[in-house]
Amino acid sequence: MCGIVGYTGAKEAAPVLVAGLRRLEYRGYDSAGMAAVEAGSIELRKQAGRVQVLEELLRWDPVAATNGVGHTRWATHGRADDVNAHPHVGGREGRRSVAVVHNGVIENYAALRRELEAEGFAFRSQTDTEVVAHLMARELERGDEPLDALLRVLPRLEGTYGLAMVTADRPGELLGARLGSPLVVGVGEGEHFLASDPVAVAPYTANVAYLQDGEAVRVTPRDFEVRHRERGPIAPRIDRIDWKPDAVELGGHAHYMLKEIREQPDTATNACRGRLVRAEGSARLGGLNMTARQLRRVRRVVLAACGTSWHAALVGEYLIERLAHLPVEVEYAGEFRYRNGPLDDRTLVIVLSQSGETADTLGALRESRRRGHPTLAIVNTVGSTIAREADGGVYLHAGPEIGVASTKAFSAQVAVLALLALHLGRLRQLSFTEGAAVVDALGSAPALIGEALKAEPAVEAAADRIAQARSVLFLGRDLHYPVALEGALKLKEISYIHAEGYPTSEMKHGPIALIDPQTPSVFVAPRGPLHAKTLSNIEEVRARRGPIVSVGLADDEDLARLSDHVLPIPDAPEVIQPLLAVVPLQLLAYHVARIKGCDIDKPRNLAKSVTVE
Ligand code: F6R
């Protein structure tokens, strides 16, 4: 949430900052701004609106400096207007001593603001961030080194922050700090960067140093210095970004969401690469850091996540119960962290997060570990906070996901959960033959997902109808119930049409009251043991003149007879059906949003990576 980028080097900073902010815009897009030091004074450009608005502002009011920090905002405190846009400047009597950009929430900002106002600091905005700027300015008045000043400010701040700043007296020097909100240093030749996500610096360097919580950094064109607020100087570790910069380009697709939907055959391949062991009818997941003996002791699994990752976890519940006969509970991470649910030493806790930075999921991980439970994580973003703090886990290897509505990460999570279920099952009652069938099914998934993508023309026809609706029901049973929930979430997120997901069996217990000729129902209905029952439920909706869209097999004549539109998917073993069935639903949400003219990659009020509670 919120994008931060900083640059110091020989280039003009503004174009580098704007390009970086464009790459981070998916993290927040209420307003954008930058600050740089030019001839000893801080130049500020900021405005409500997209990064494009900032770019236009810079065109008629340029900044030539070779240093600066930029920000794209997702508002938490104060409306999304010009004044509340970052950076915020600190200083007495209108002097601009420092300019600060911030990602996170300063929870004690009201008390700090009162303290600073009593000392004569005048506030311009309603943001929590402005207190950081004035606290810095107050410390700088003592004439200390800026990094020392920052290290004195940090203990005053309660909450979370990724911070980047420039000070008027030190052109060419950037400062940064992190606590609960990511910040990386991009290490170049004669230039350095700061960013909330390596995506921003990928075109310039593959070398990054991830700051850890409690660390602050001073960055110059030549070098950078990291200090922990309690432990003093830190020798930074340089990691290499393992994806190519063009992984975050549109590559000819109209939107990132469409690109990422279409990447899903590769997503499944990458999630399973090197992890399927046909000779043992099992899966190899070395990163779990748990021996077979330890995994055999597990008697219960708790999966905690948010949003789409929570839906993937729900698929995981069905898969683990089915393949490993272990009881599974799926928790909203934001609930789990504050509930005092019983966990015994034979409970395995696993958190799931695409970004690895979601505040609620991180909170769940920390709470579980605080209680002494080894806690695993299924994460996409390498080097993210959750990945680093977990005791072990599995990376998704899905590559950067830029579309705010998550698509390929869901598929990768489902594939990894299938591998985990297989692995846990093979340590228990699952026979070699049954395990080998799951290995084969997962091996066939990429090609079958490719087939499912061919549903797009049928989806477009159905989308015309759904785009007229004010409310849509999504219904599925068994493994397809979470898929129905995910279909409903995708539609509401990007097209703003109200949508609810239910188990098909629940429909007659209430939601059927909604059925009328204006309220479509989307049934996830591939063939399976409960198919006949699903067909009966579709009949019930039809009897009430509800329009019906079904995801099912192309040769399913009964389904075709009952449905206004069938979105065809190929036949497949049950364990991988969710990977196929979700594809037409993602495409449906996409095309409905396109027809309605919505901003697909930047839906209103949302942002990627929810780093605040
Ligand atoms: C929905 C979506 C969100 C995220 C949720 C968790 O399209 O993207 O619901 O799934 O905010 O995010 P991660 O997986 O990054 O923890």
Side-chain angles (χ1 to χ4, degrees):
M1 243 165 197
C2 299
I4 290 178
V5 57
Y7 175 76
T8 180
K11 298 187 182 86
E12 225 176 77
V16 178
L17 298 181
V18 166
L21 292 179
R22 276 193 177 283
R23 296 168 88 85
L24 295 180
E25 206 173 10
Y26 68 108
R27 288 180 156 250
Y29 29 85
D30 293 340
S31 55
M34 65 155 285
V37 185
E38 221 169 53
S41 78
I42 290 180
E43 289 293 319
L44 196 61
R45 306 285 184 274
K46 58 179 190 170
Q47 202 153 328
R50 300 283 164 93
V51 174
Q52 195 187 337
V53 177
L54 173 66
E55 210 173 354
E56 281 157 22
L57 185 63
L58 284 161
R59 209 166 292 139
W60 62 265
D61 193 6
V63 178
T66 57
N67 65 80
V69 291
H71 189 263
T72 172
R73 177 171 188 243
W74 186 85
T76 60
H77 293 62
R79 291 177 46 170
D81 58 23
D82 296 353
V83 177
N84 290 326
H86 296 216
H88 291 283
V89 290
R92 240 185 262 273
E93 290 154 10
R95 176 172 151 69
R96 292 176 176 177
S97 312
V98 57
V100 177
V101 297
H102 168 219
N103 181 9
V105 173
I106 306 301
E107 287 167 359
N108 59 336
Y109 84 100
L112 292 170
R113 182 168 174 147
R114 280 194 296 275
E115 174 186 320
L116 288 156
E117 279 174 337
E119 291 181 26
F121 286 94
F123 280 75
R124 299 171 187 84
S125 77
Q126 284 91 50
T127 65
D128 51 337
T129 304
E130 200 176 348
V131 298
V132 183
H134 288 311
L135 283 172
M136 261 309 279
R138 189 173 70 180
E139 292 301 327
L140 288 168
E141 284 172 359
R142 294 163 55 149
D144 285 355
E145 284 296 308
L147 183 57
D148 293 331
L150 176 58
L151 286 162
R152 274 200 308 279
V153 166
L154 298 181
R156 301 289 323 271
L157 308 177
E158 288 168 20
T160 55
Y161 50 79
L163 290 167
M165 55 188 83
V166 287
T167 57
D169 296 338
R170 294 292 174 94
E173 184 173 302
L174 311 178
L175 298 174
R178 83 156 266 175
L179 188 75
S181 196
L183 198 68
V184 296
V185 180
V187 182
E189 294 281 329
E191 59 183 7
H192 283 96
F193 305 80
L194 280 178
S196 51
D197 185 326
V199 159
V201 305
Y204 310 103
T205 177
N207 297 326
V208 292
Y210 294 91
L211 287 201
Q212 313 291 328
D213 276 352
E215 291 178 358
V217 65
R218 184 183 72 91
V219 180
T220 72
R222 288 167 311 285
D223 54 18
F224 67 103
E225 168 194 357
V226 181
R227 271 200 261 159
H228 190 276
R229 69 186 216 200
E230 277 125 35
R231 297 197 289 274
I234 301 280
R237 201 185 89 183
I238 311 276
D239 287 303
R240 273 191 78 76
I241 303 172
D242 66 351
W243 36 266
K244 297 195 183 75
D246 64 4
V248 289
E249 304 298 344
L250 270 172
H253 298 272
H255 296 93
Y256 283 107
M257 182 179 179
L258 189 58
K259 174 182 183 238
E260 288 159 5
I261 292 172
R262 289 176 177 164
E263 278 172 4
Q264 288 176 111
D266 290 341
T267 307
T269 305
N270 294 337
C272 294
R273 179 169 288 121
R275 292 171 170 166
L276 291 170
V277 190
R278 184 63 171 75
E280 294 174 14
S282 188
R284 183 190 301 125
L285 297 167
L288 296 181
N289 295 337
M290 286 177 77
T291 62
R293 187 184 289 262
Q294 287 169 324
L295 285 169
R296 270 187 62 83
R297 283 197 77 247
V298 171
R299 285 284 169 271
R300 174 180 168 232
V301 178
V302 171
L303 302 173
C306 304
T308 287
S309 297
W310 187 86
H311 294 155
L314 222 47
V315 179
E317 175 179 15
Y318 283 90
L319 290 173
I320 295 170
E321 284 181 358
R322 187 175 292 200
L323 300 181
H325 289 183
L326 276 169
V328 182
E329 281 150 59
V330 179
E331 300 270 1
Y332 286 111
E335 292 295 306
F336 175 84
R337 62 184 298 194
Y338 294 119
R339 269 179 50 202
N340 197 15
L343 297 177
D344 62 28
D345 67 351
R346 300 184 84 169
T347 303
L348 178 63
V349 181
I350 307 177
V351 300
L352 292 94
S353 174
Q354 184 283 127
S355 61
E357 301 292 350
T358 300
D360 284 325
T361 313
L362 180 59
L365 170 79
R366 287 180 175 163
E367 173 62 8
S368 171
R369 295 195 73 231
R370 188 195 61 76
R371 291 168 68 171
H373 280 276
T375 307
L376 307 182
I378 297 177
V379 171
N380 191 32
T381 308
V382 175
S384 58
T385 311
I386 292 176
R388 280 187 282 107
E389 291 194 14
D391 294 291
V394 190
Y395 276 123
L396 302 178
H397 298 309
E401 191 181 61
I402 306 293
V404 165
S406 180
T407 53
K408 65 177 180 175
F410 174 85
S411 302
Q413 284 167 332
V414 168
V416 164
L417 285 162
L419 294 170
L420 181 68
L422 171 63
H423 187 54
L424 291 171
R426 288 289 289 132
L427 295 173
R428 292 176 171 73
Q429 86 303 328
L430 200 71
S431 71
F432 168 79
T433 319
E434 290 163 325
V438 176
V439 170
D440 291 343
L442 283 166
S444 68
L448 291 170
I449 296 171
E451 285 296 308
L453 283 166
K454 294 184 184 157
E456 197 158 352
V459 169
E460 286 184 60
D464 281 329
R465 186 169 201 136
I466 301 284
Q468 313 304 318
R470 291 192 54 204
S471 185
V472 182
L473 288 177
F474 283 77
L475 301 146
R477 277 196 102 145
D478 196 11
L479 280 164
H480 301 303
Y481 159 52
V483 175
L485 292 182
E486 178 58 7
L489 180 65
K490 286 289 90 87
L491 187 70
K492 70 182 115 179
E493 276 183 304
I494 60 165
S495 76
Y496 319 133
I497 294 175
H498 174 251
E500 294 298 333
Y502 282 99
T504 314
S505 55
E506 272 294 299
M507 192 190 59
K508 55 193 171 297
H509 299 291
I512 198 165
L514 295 172
I515 301 297
D516 65 20
Q518 280 73 49
T519 308
S521 298
V522 179
F523 283 87
V524 187
R527 272 202 201 101
L530 302 176
H531 191 54
K533 294 183 195 300
T534 300
L535 291 177
S536 302
N537 295 134
I538 297 178
E539 293 272 15
E540 288 156 15
V541 172
R542 208 176 149 79
R544 288 160 182 83
R545 297 173 49 233
I548 291 159
V549 175
S550 301
V551 175
L553 303 192
D555 66 354
D556 187 337
E557 286 171 13
D558 293 328
L559 194 64
R561 179 175 52 78
L562 293 172
S563 309
D564 299 295
H565 298 271
V566 174
L567 314 181
I569 58 170
D571 203 0
E574 265 196 294
V575 288
I576 62 160
Q577 281 182 7
L579 291 171
L580 313 185
V582 78
V583 172
L585 299 189
Q586 295 165 339
L587 288 168
L588 184 64
Y590 173 83
H591 283 292
V592 171
R594 181 186 53 74
I595 291 164
K596 291 189 73 190
C598 300
D599 192 344
I600 292 176
D601 283 332
K602 298 188 184 68
R604 74 177 178 216
N605 302 338
L606 299 178
K608 197 88 177 156
S609 186
V610 185
T611 53
V612 294
E613 269 196 63

